[in-house]
């Protein structure tokens, strides 16, 4: 296999944009300048806030690399990976990842497309930067619940123990504030053995309470040198500042983020864990709405699903069910009155079928609500805006409209399974996914990487720098074919007209110099179409 630093490799002319001029991977055996193969940096070459580590190669190849402990602590010794002596791993050489393997972010390409952004592939390396009995790991879960949290916790503990012989793993009780306000919990394979069968998180969670200085003091005082942080966008922002502070203090502590969000709104990664389970559980609510509405004249079953900024749960639950006549999400503005509006569609559907099912994401229609309700500016402890209940509002609006109109008597049943879809254990496929995330995080930390979030990109697990994960929300793109599939499955109006969709006149993109948000690979118009910015403005959050 070619090396990133090997001039005979397919990507010979590599340059760092992050202020470094060296090989991309300190584990790489080619281009290194020390006896044990690790790359040594001049002292102080990377002080203060870290810079993105960007490596460029031929034909528009870009590697958005993750930090490594030796970026700021040169001369760290390396050790052979204990997996080399593990019967499960030692036989087949390919079980170890080639240190120069990277994964392409964009896989739909044209003949002349630049190779584009890549991320470092996750997995076990031949060399590690921690000895087994030196490791003191901790795990923390933050933000809202999500199916699979316990599986990730279990697999980090078991992965560290069984693959790397690490015996000391602490659970931080109750989210970030637990670092300095609560006791820790000793985690062993025995104590976590059955936890994947339970919903929630055995460690507890919280919003707010992120005091970076106190958290890093606690990490330092307890002698922790690997920190596994499981949580959503807010949590990963918190992880990023913890990493920066650890780096500023020059500590040999690896910080690994595991992305969690039921809403599936984290950029770059294919999908977040727990999402499949939530979509599956949402089917039960949709089925109930269908049975109720089908059993009564002009029945309307209305189901509200989670999705503060992003309508993925609503969209996938709708596509999976086939009983839904209308799906409303934050990314697709809609209107109630007049031609092409929701009320007109409901009337038509009831006349045709005698019943209908509507699915609405919690963040949908917020601009309509703010016209009738005075916006409260209330926030949760983490600073997330608290949204008024769109389900109650739309139920009442539909009832008021049909009672005013007196043409038709409707029977509306409102079902709100919000917390039911996230307080359950993960399903089989999420359990496997959580295992891969946890093991990839463990391999990354043991190999000395830090300041990264782990996740699949086009099906391959990668180490992704924090700045890419926290740069915005991953939203449903309504010019993607997936939204067209939904529209054709429900037959609902699109609520947009051709004039709302404008040609995107952007030139072919340069390889990214600064972080950018992922675009879908499934866009039939190959990213040439975008929804009129004003229409979709509310989808750009924070
Ligand atoms: N910018 C930030 N800097 C430091 N910490 C943050 C930041 N944003 C959020 N946090 C902390 O991260 C934790 C979780 O944040 P939040 O409540 O927003 O949930 P989340 O991780 O986004 O998960 P989800 O939204 O999926 O439930 C909280 O303890 C919060 O204080
Ligand atoms: O009521 P809580 O615990 O703050 O969680 C609600 C929020 O959590 C999420 O599931 C994830 O952020 C959102 O969809 C929802 O708005
Ligand atoms: Mg969040």
């Amino acid at each position: 296999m070619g090396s990133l630093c090997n001039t005979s490799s397919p990507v010979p002319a590599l340059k760092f944009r992050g202020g470094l001029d060296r090989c991309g991977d300190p584990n790489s055996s080619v281009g290194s300048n020390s006896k044990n193969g690790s790359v040594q940096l001049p002292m102080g070459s990377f002080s203060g806030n870290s810079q993105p580590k960007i490596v460029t190669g031929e034909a528009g190849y870009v590697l958005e690399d993750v930090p490594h402990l030796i970026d700021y602590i040169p001369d760290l010794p390396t050790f052979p990976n204990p997996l080399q002596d593990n019967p499960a791993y030692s036989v087949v050489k390919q079980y170890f990842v080639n240190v120069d393997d990277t994964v392409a972010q964009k896989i739909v390409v044209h003949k002349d497309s630049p190779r584009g952004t890549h991320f470092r592939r996750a997995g076990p390396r031949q060399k590690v930067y921690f000895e087994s009995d030196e490791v003191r790991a901790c795990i923390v879960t933050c933000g809202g619940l999500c199916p699979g949290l316990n599986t990730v916790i279990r697999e980090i503990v078991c992965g560290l123990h069984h693959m790397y012989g690490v015996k000391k793993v602490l659970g931080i009780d109750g989210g970030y504030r637990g670092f300095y306000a609560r006791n820790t919990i000793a985690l062993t394979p025995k104590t976590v053995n059955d936890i994947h069968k339970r919903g929630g998180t055995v460690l507890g969670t919280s919003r707010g309470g992120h005091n970076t200085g106190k958290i890093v003091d606690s990490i330092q005082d307890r002698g922790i040198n690997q920190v596994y942080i499981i949580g959503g966008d807010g949590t990963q922002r918190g992880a990023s500042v913890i990493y920066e502070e650890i780096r500023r203090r020059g500590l040999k502590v690896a910080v690994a983020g595991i992305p969690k969000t039921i809403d599936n709104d984290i950029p770059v990664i294919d999908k977040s864990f727990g999402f499949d389970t939530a979509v599956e559980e949402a089917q039960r609510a949709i089925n109930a709405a269908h049975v109720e509405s089908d059993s009564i004249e002009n029945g309307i079953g209305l189901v509200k699903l989670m999705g503060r900024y992003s309508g993925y749960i609503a969209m996938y639950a709708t596509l999976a069910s086939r009983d839904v006549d209308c799906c409303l999400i934050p990314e697709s503005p809609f209107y109630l009155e007049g031609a092409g509006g929701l009320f007109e569609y409901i009337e038509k559907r009831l006349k045709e079928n005698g019943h209908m099912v509507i699915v609405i994401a919690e963040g949908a229609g917020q601009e309509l609500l703010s016209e009738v309700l005075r916006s409260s500016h209330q926030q949760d402890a983490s600073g997330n805006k608290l949204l008024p209940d769109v389900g109650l509002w739309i139920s009442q609006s539909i009832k008021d409209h049909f009672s005013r109109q007196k043409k038709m008597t409707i029977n509306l049943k409102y079902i709100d399974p919000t917390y039911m879809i996230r307080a359950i254990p993960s399903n089989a496929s999420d359990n496997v996914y959580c295992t891969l995330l946890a093991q990839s995080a463990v391999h990354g930390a043991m190999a000395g990487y830090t300041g990264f979030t782990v996740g699949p990109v086009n099906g391959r697990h990668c180490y992704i720098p924090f700045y890419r994960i926290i740069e915005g929300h991953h939203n449903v793109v309504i010019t993607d074919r997936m939204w067209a599939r939904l529209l054709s499955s429900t037959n609902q109006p699109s609520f947009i007209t051709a004039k709302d969709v404008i040609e995107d006149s952007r030139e072919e993109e340069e390889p990214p110099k600064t972080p950018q948000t992922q675009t879908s690979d499934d866009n039939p118009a190959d990213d040439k179409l975008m929804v009129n910015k004003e229409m979709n403005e509310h989808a750009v959050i924070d």
Side-chain angles (χ1 to χ4, degrees):
M1 291 291 286
S3 153
L4 289 178
C5 293
N6 185 341
T7 44
S8 64
S9 80
V11 282
L14 295 174
K15 285 207 171 64
F16 277 89
R17 291 217 205 95
L20 276 179
D21 183 17
R22 64 175 181 83
C23 179
D25 191 331
N27 292 295
S28 175
S29 53
V30 186
S32 60
N33 59 0
S34 78
K35 279 204 190 108
N36 62 11
S38 63
V39 173
Q40 297 181 0
L41 288 178
M43 283 294 279
S45 62
F46 226 156
S47 59
N49 269 14
S50 59
Q51 300 291 312
K53 277 171 74 175
I54 295 177
V55 185
T56 56
E58 269 183 5
Y61 174 93
V62 177
L63 168 63
E64 294 203 35
D65 207 355
V66 291
H68 193 276
L69 291 171
I70 68 156
D71 290 350
Y72 63 95
I73 317 176
D75 302 326
L76 277 180
T78 60
F79 311 94
N81 191 328
L83 281 175
Q84 288 171 0
D85 301 321
N86 180 319
Y89 281 82
S90 55
V91 189
V92 182
K93 197 168 139 263
Q94 292 89 316
Y95 289 159
F96 289 89
V97 164
N98 183 306
V99 290
D100 296 331
D101 279 356
T102 61
V103 176
Q105 183 177 17
K106 197 162 174 140
I107 53 171
V108 178
V109 291
H110 299 165
K111 187 162 62 69
D112 301 320
S113 302
R115 293 177 64 195
T117 296
H118 293 65
F119 299 108
R120 195 166 282 288
R121 185 176 173 201
R125 268 64 179 163
Q126 300 278 2
K127 282 184 301 174
V128 294
Y129 280 76
F130 291 92
E131 279 183 298
S132 305
D133 53 10
E134 167 198 359
V135 176
R136 275 166 186 65
C138 75
I139 308 175
V140 64
T141 52
C142 311
L145 291 184
C146 182
L149 281 165
N150 282 334
T151 313
V152 176
I153 296 167
R154 182 188 192 280
E155 296 308 320
I156 293 173
V157 176
C158 293
L160 281 166
H161 192 101
H162 299 312
M163 295 193 296
Y164 289 99
V166 171
K167 304 280 174 351
K168 290 182 183 127
V169 187
L170 290 178
I172 304 298
D173 188 4
Y176 277 134
R177 64 165 62 96
F179 272 105
Y180 52 86
R182 306 284 281 270
N183 290 326
T184 54
I185 306 156
L187 299 172
T188 64
K190 202 165 170 207
T191 59
V192 299
N193 188 40
D194 276 339
I195 62 173
H196 61 297
K197 295 174 187 162
R198 283 183 250 158
T201 157
V202 289
L203 299 180
T205 186
S206 63
R207 298 193 189 271
H210 182 106
N211 182 321
T212 315
K214 283 192 189 174
I215 291 170
V216 179
D217 287 348
S218 158
I219 289 170
Q220 213 171 343
D221 293 347
R222 293 176 200 275
I224 291 167
N225 50 19
Q226 292 187 3
V227 185
Y228 295 91
I229 302 179
I230 313 169
D233 56 334
T235 305
Q236 302 301 315
R237 279 191 194 96
S240 174
V241 291
I242 290 172
Y243 155 69
E244 292 294 348
E245 178 59 17
I246 282 173
R247 182 181 179 126
R248 198 187 62 75
R249 296 189 193 183
L251 307 176
K252 186 192 174 188
V253 178
V255 181
I258 295 100
K260 175 250 33 156
T261 161
I262 197 163
D263 295 349
N264 196 32
D265 61 359
I266 292 193
V268 184
I269 62 170
D270 295 343
K271 189 168 59 175
S272 47
F273 74 80
F275 174 74
D276 275 355
T277 306
V279 168
E280 212 167 284
E281 185 67 8
Q283 301 304 299
R284 299 208 306 140
I286 295 173
N287 284 343
H290 186 234
V291 169
E292 287 285 347
S293 62
D294 193 21
S295 309
I296 193 161
E297 197 182 354
N298 292 331
I300 301 175
L302 181 86
V303 179
K304 185 183 79 170
L305 294 174
M306 277 194 172
R308 206 197 293 263
Y309 307 124
S310 147
Y312 278 105
I313 298 179
M315 178 165 90
Y316 274 76
T318 296
L319 276 164
S321 149
R322 303 282 159 176
D323 284 333
V324 180
D325 301 276
C326 187
C327 171
L328 302 168
I329 60 169
E331 296 88 338
S332 178
F334 63 93
Y335 53 96
L336 301 177
E337 313 269 355
L342 183 65
F343 294 152
E344 183 190 80
Y345 175 62
I346 294 176
E347 192 176 327
K348 175 171 161 277
R349 208 75 183 134
L350 292 179
K351 281 182 182 154
E352 284 165 3
N353 278 0
H355 72 281
M356 77 178 293
V357 174
I358 302 173
V359 165
I360 188 161
E362 64 175 317
Q366 290 295 321
E367 68 287 353
L368 298 177
L369 260 99
S370 62
E371 283 169 17
V372 285
L373 305 177
R374 246 186 306 132
S375 68
S376 65
H377 301 297
Q378 278 186 317
Q379 295 181 334
D380 67 17
S382 295
N384 300 303
K385 193 172 177 222
L386 286 174
L387 303 179
D389 190 332
V390 70
L392 288 174
W393 168 80
I394 202 155
S395 302
Q396 200 54 50
S397 305
I398 295 170
K399 285 179 189 165
D400 289 349
H401 170 80
F402 283 97
S403 83
R404 259 196 322 269
Q405 216 200 23
K406 295 197 172 66
K407 276 203 285 187
M408 189 183 254
T409 306
I410 59 144
N411 271 294
L412 188 145
K413 312 284 187 213
Y414 174 41
I415 300 177
D416 180 352
T418 303
Y419 293 104
M420 290 178 64
I421 68 167
R422 72 173 204 190
I424 51 172
S426 44
N427 66 13
S429 75
D430 269 325
N431 268 338
V432 175
Y433 179 19
C434 290
T435 304
L436 296 191
L437 284 169
Q439 292 191 355
S440 298
V442 166
H443 293 312
M446 290 300 298
Y449 293 111
T450 181
F452 69 86
T453 301
V454 64
V457 175
N458 298 314
R460 296 289 184 170
H461 281 248
C462 300
Y463 300 132
I464 305 159
F466 281 139
Y467 67 83
R468 288 299 310 268
I469 292 291
I470 62 182
E471 68 194 354
H473 288 107
H474 177 217
N475 293 108
V476 173
V477 179
I478 63 170
T479 49
D480 262 12
R481 198 155 41 227
M482 210 53 173
W483 187 241
R485 286 185 187 111
L486 179 134
L487 294 178
S488 71
S489 124
T490 59
N491 289 311
Q492 72 191 68
S494 72
F495 302 108
I496 54 171
T497 58
K499 78 173 168 33
D500 295 321
V501 180
I502 57 168
E503 279 289 322
D504 179 6
S505 58
R506 284 173 299 175
E507 295 294 320
E508 196 73 60
E509 279 169 20
E510 287 278 301
K513 292 200 171 70
T514 49
Q516 60 164 29
T517 309
Q518 179 191 32
T519 55
S520 167
D521 277 321
D522 195 23
N523 191 335
D526 197 26
D527 304 340
K528 282 283 185 287
L529 284 179
M530 63 180 203
V531 171
N532 186 323
K533 196 167 167 287
E534 276 137 54
M535 270 203 81
N536 226 6
E537 217 159 47
H538 70 288
V540 182
I541 306 296
D542 292 347

